[in-house]
Each structure stands twice: as structure tokens, then as C-alpha cells.
Amino acid sequence: FLHSATMVKAGVILVGRLAPIFGDVGWWRPAVVGVGVVTMVVGGVGALRQHDAKLLLAHGTVSQLGLLVVGFGVGHPDVTAAAVVMLVAHALFKAALFLAVGIVDHATGKRDIRRLGGVGRDLPLVAGLTAVAAASMAGLPPLLGFVAKEATLDALLTADDPWATVAVGGVVAGSVLTVAYTARLWTGVFGAGPASDDRAEVRHPPGPTSVAPLAVLAGMTALGGLFAAP
């Protein structure tokens, strides 16, 4: 929770605080938008190559941080406002996903998505709550991740800046990768799974105190999308 929602955001917050000051400096937008777009795409490709569910999420976090750097780095007020929403959305869905992987790891002793498939039949509530968080990360309506990503794209498209236009292409490419690795994560952990004796079994079912935080985060993700205006 600390890693996904707090520590890795420190640099992003710094970019957000400095962008209004440095936004008009000639090198700022090319450097920040360029680094953000490359980070988003490289992180997404890295996530698709992982078999460890936690590593997959970690590389996905790198990709999402690239998106946040793009949003904050452009320096336009509307794009910055959208990036703030994305910051909150990411904290909620990624913390929920890391907790979900932790629950599955504790229950089965495994995180390899090649051996986990089918756990959803044994942990239907965890699978359902994880699906909500994963859908928010993929940008599906009506969740907060969808609102944040659409707001980011809308703000970038209406910003009168050539680097904002470049950023749109990077965000779209990165978003395609986000959908791909999100689907790979959820189906790999909770989908049908391999018909093998090596398939993971649930030996320690999670208790209410393990599932409750996941439910709170997934619920906030859903409510945040449904009541996005306030």
C-alpha cells in the first residue's frame, strides 16, 4: 500500500509543483513529456513480459508514473487538474491490486500467473473486487480510472501546445498496453488456468480483515467514477 500509493509518487508531486514555474522554459516540455511517454510505453511492454504478478504490477506502476509525469509536466491548468484525478485514481486501484496479489500469494504461496489460473473459483469475492480495480486501471467506465484518463486526453487535446499533441499519441499507445497487461494479470490469476497438477491451490483462505481493505479501495474506485464531479 505504501509503495503503490505514496512513495513512488514523490517525484511526480515534485514535477507537478515545478511545472507551473518551468512550463514556459524551452527545454521543459520536450524533456518531461518525452521522458513520460517513453516511460509509459517501456513500462507497459515490461509488464507484458512478466510472469510474477507482483512484478507485473510493479512494471505497470512504472508505466502509470510515465502517464502522470506527462499530465503534470505539460503545465496547463486543465491537464494538471486531470493529472490530480489520475493521481488519486492510481493510488486507489493500484493499492487494491497489490493487496489482491498479496492475498492470493498468502492463500496459495504462489504469484506466477502461469500456475495460478483458476483461483477465482476458490476466491470469488477477491476475484470480483480485483476485477473492479483492474477495470479502473484499464480505463473502463464508469470507474474513476476511466474518468481520469478521459479527462487527461480531453485536456491534452484542447491544450494549445504541440507537445500536448505529442503526448496524446503516447498516452493512447500506453493505454493500449495498459489494457493488455491488465487483462493478462486478471486472467492469469483468476481465469481458467492450466489443467495441471502443478496448479496453485488455496490452502489459506483469506479472512474478513484481509478482504475488507480491498473492498474499501475497490468501492472508492467505483464511487469516485460515479460521483466524479464533486
Side-chain angles (χ1 to χ4, degrees), residues 8-81:
V8 297
K9 298 295 198 308
V12 173
I13 294 295
L14 184 62
V15 171
R17 299 290 285 181
L18 293 176
I21 303 170
F22 288 99
D24 293 328
V25 176
W27 57 266
W28 175 265
R29 287 196 181 101
V32 176
V33 172
V35 168
V37 167
V38 170
T39 301
M40 190 178 184
V41 173
V42 170
V45 172
L48 284 172
R49 299 178 62 185
Q50 303 305 314
H51 301 297
D52 184 308
K54 190 175 181 181
L55 278 177
L56 192 158
L57 285 176
H59 282 265
T61 297
V62 172
S63 181
Q64 295 292 309
L65 291 177
L67 171 61
L68 288 168
V69 166
V70 169
F72 280 113
V74 170
H76 289 284
D78 289 345
V79 186
T80 300

Side-chain angles (χ1 to χ4, degrees), residues 62-167:
V62 172
S63 181
Q64 295 292 309
L65 291 177
L67 171 61
L68 288 168
V69 166
V70 169
F72 280 113
V74 170
H76 289 284
D78 289 345
V79 186
T80 300
V84 171
V85 181
M86 192 70 222
L87 188 81
V88 176
H90 177 263
L92 292 172
F93 66 63
K94 191 53 71 71
L97 290 169
F98 270 112
L99 284 171
V101 169
I103 289 170
V104 171
D105 190 8
H106 178 74
T108 65
K110 294 181 175 65
R111 294 201 307 255
D112 191 328
I113 61 175
R114 295 169 296 184
R115 300 170 63 186
L116 276 173
V119 170
R121 291 191 295 271
D122 300 316
L123 303 173
L125 180 58
V126 174
L129 293 171
T130 306
V132 173
S136 184
M137 182 165 71
L140 299 182
L143 302 167
L144 187 57
F146 164 78
V147 174
K149 195 164 287 185
E150 288 296 299
T152 300
L153 287 169
D154 181 64
L156 287 171
L157 286 168
T158 55
D160 186 18
D161 189 291
W163 284 102
T165 305
V166 172

